[in-house]
């Protein structure tokens, strides 16, 4: 399935044909050059690389491991897709609130890091959802906050430009009851703020919340009432159907041969993927 090689072969043939066309060779070479530029633009930042934008402070989806290397569930999926496409995998950490700028500039081929489709349907070209998620609130285990109503007058923290922030903006009635709704660059900072008592609750992805709580071995809990249900997908620059289709084809193949299931069980102890 190494489509980058296939495309290169087609373009090479076009150049050879141009060289055999006599006086029209200049026109043909120009057309071939334009085709190559268009193909590179459509398929990604480089024909031989697959550059994935991610938040390096978002375990277990993407983060810096104990060995100093980038790791995570989403990054492992992306690495496998890159291998199957015959491309070099390049994990590119980005500031989450600058992700659109990075994508538009062509610095990354896609955003793949617990990236919520819900509410962003028209902003990107998406793969099919590969995982379900929900936005929840995390509080201290000894907190008197048991329901969403108990958040009234409290300090709630959320990552800037996250799905949780967008969900709270959409549900202005709930957010309006908070004493303060403040943002933070990453959820590692948010958990430290909660542990120190600087905030009363964190609004975030349930998948990430569960992982953080387990890893920190701290006395946090997730409220039973969820803020919103959503789905994760891989987001590409609007109109980049070519690369999206290549990635989707590999995700489908990974679901069929059990690779998705195996990677999911490695990170979560069960299969949480939804690609069938």
């Amino acid at each position: 399935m190494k489509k980058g090689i296939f495309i290169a072969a087609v373009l090479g043939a076009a150049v050879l044909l141009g060289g055999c066309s006599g006086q029209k060779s200049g026109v043909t070479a120009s057309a071939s050059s334009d085709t190559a530029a268009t193909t590179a633009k459509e398929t990604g930042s480089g024909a031989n690389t697959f550059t994935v934008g991610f938040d390096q402070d978002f375990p277990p989806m993407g983060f810096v491991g104990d060995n100093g290397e980038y790791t995570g569930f989403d990054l492992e999926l992306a690495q496998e897709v890159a291998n199957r496409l015959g491309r070099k995998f390049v994990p590119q950490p980005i500031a989450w609130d600058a992700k659109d700028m990075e994508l538009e500039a062509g610095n990354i081929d896609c955003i793949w890091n617990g990236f919520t489709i819900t509410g962003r349907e028209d902003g990107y070209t998406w793969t099919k959802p590969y995982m379900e998620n929900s936005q929840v609130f995390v509080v201290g285990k000894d907190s008197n906050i048991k329901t969403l109503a108990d958040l009234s007058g409290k300090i709630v923290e959320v990552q800037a430009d996250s799905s949780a922030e967008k969900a709270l903006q959409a549900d202005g009635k709930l957010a309006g009851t908070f004493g303060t709704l403040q943002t933070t660059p990453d959820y590692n900072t948010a958990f430290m703020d909660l542990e120190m008592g600087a905030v009363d609750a964190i609004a975030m992805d349930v998948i990430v919340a569960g992982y953080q709580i387990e890893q920190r071995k701290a006395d946090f809990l997730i409220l039973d009432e969820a803020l919103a249900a959503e789905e994760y997908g891989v987001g590409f620059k609007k109109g980049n159907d070519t690369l999206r289709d290549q990635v989707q084809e590999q995700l489908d193949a990974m679901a069929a041969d059990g690779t998705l299931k195996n990677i999911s069980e490695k990170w979560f102890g069960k299969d949480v993927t939804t690609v069938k």
Side-chain angles (χ1 to χ4, degrees):
M1 307 305 292
K2 297 183 179 180
K3 297 194 175 182
I5 296 174
F6 173 76
I7 292 170
V10 172
L11 294 178
V15 173
L16 290 174
L17 288 173
C20 297
S21 61
Q23 294 179 346
K24 294 183 181 180
S25 61
V27 175
T28 305
S30 176
S32 177
S33 178
D34 290 343
T35 301
T38 299
T39 300
K41 182 178 180 181
E42 288 180 351
T43 56
S45 61
N48 297 317
T49 60
F50 183 46
T51 305
V52 172
F54 73 103
D55 176 357
Q56 68 176 30
D57 295 307
F58 201 59
M61 314 312 279
F63 62 103
V64 181
D66 293 337
N67 61 358
E69 299 292 328
Y70 297 127
T71 187
F73 172 68
D74 278 343
L75 292 188
E76 193 163 334
L77 294 184
Q79 170 83 72
E80 179 65 20
V81 167
N83 292 344
R84 294 181 181 218
L85 290 175
R87 294 187 176 210
K88 178 182 178 182
F89 175 59
V90 181
Q92 180 60 55
I94 57 175
W96 194 244
D97 57 359
K99 59 186 177 296
D100 293 342
M101 180 181 68
E102 298 280 4
L103 192 61
E104 288 297 319
N107 296 330
I108 57 176
D109 293 322
C110 66
I111 302 168
W112 194 339
N113 193 211
F115 196 28
T116 299
I117 299 174
T118 311
R120 298 187 176 108
E121 290 87 349
D122 298 329
Y124 307 85
T125 289
W126 292 98
T127 62
K128 298 174 185 176
Y130 65 89
M131 189 173 178
E132 293 180 345
N133 184 52
S134 61
Q135 295 299 327
V136 297
F137 292 95
V138 178
V139 299
K141 190 172 183 180
D142 296 329
S143 170
N144 60 0
I145 301 173
K146 307 301 180 185
T147 67
L148 299 189
D150 295 333
L151 292 169
S152 178
K154 300 298 193 292
I155 301 174
V156 179
E157 192 160 68
V158 65
Q159 184 180 35
D161 201 35
S162 65
S163 298
E165 183 182 28
K166 292 183 184 301
L168 286 169
Q169 289 171 344
D171 188 355
K173 185 176 180 181
L174 175 61
T177 67
F178 302 161
T180 303
L181 175 60
Q182 63 187 44
T183 61
T184 184
D186 60 79
Y187 281 116
N188 285 330
T189 302
F191 270 94
M192 287 189 288
D193 289 344
L194 183 60
E195 196 163 17
M196 292 186 299
V199 301
D200 298 302
I202 307 170
M204 63 186 302
D205 302 56
V206 68
I207 292 292
V208 180
Y211 184 86
Q212 285 271 18
I213 292 171
E214 181 179 349
Q215 293 298 307
R216 290 172 179 273
K217 307 299 182 185
D219 290 332
F220 301 126
L221 58 83
I222 300 171
L223 297 187
D224 291 336
E225 294 177 85
L227 173 60
E230 59 188 32
E231 296 175 307
Y232 285 158
V234 185
F236 300 82
K237 185 176 180 179
K238 192 73 173 176
N240 192 355
D241 293 0
T242 301
L243 185 55
R244 185 276 310 275
D245 290 347
Q246 292 175 1
V247 171
Q248 185 63 59
E249 182 178 8
Q250 299 310 318
L251 286 174
D252 291 343
M254 289 161 63
D257 65 25
T259 302
L260 276 182
K261 178 177 180 291
N262 291 339
I263 295 176
S264 178
E265 289 177 344
K266 170 184 173 180
W267 284 97
F268 302 108
K270 60 182 179 180
D271 186 8
V272 299
T273 61
T274 58
V275 181
K276 304 301 180 185

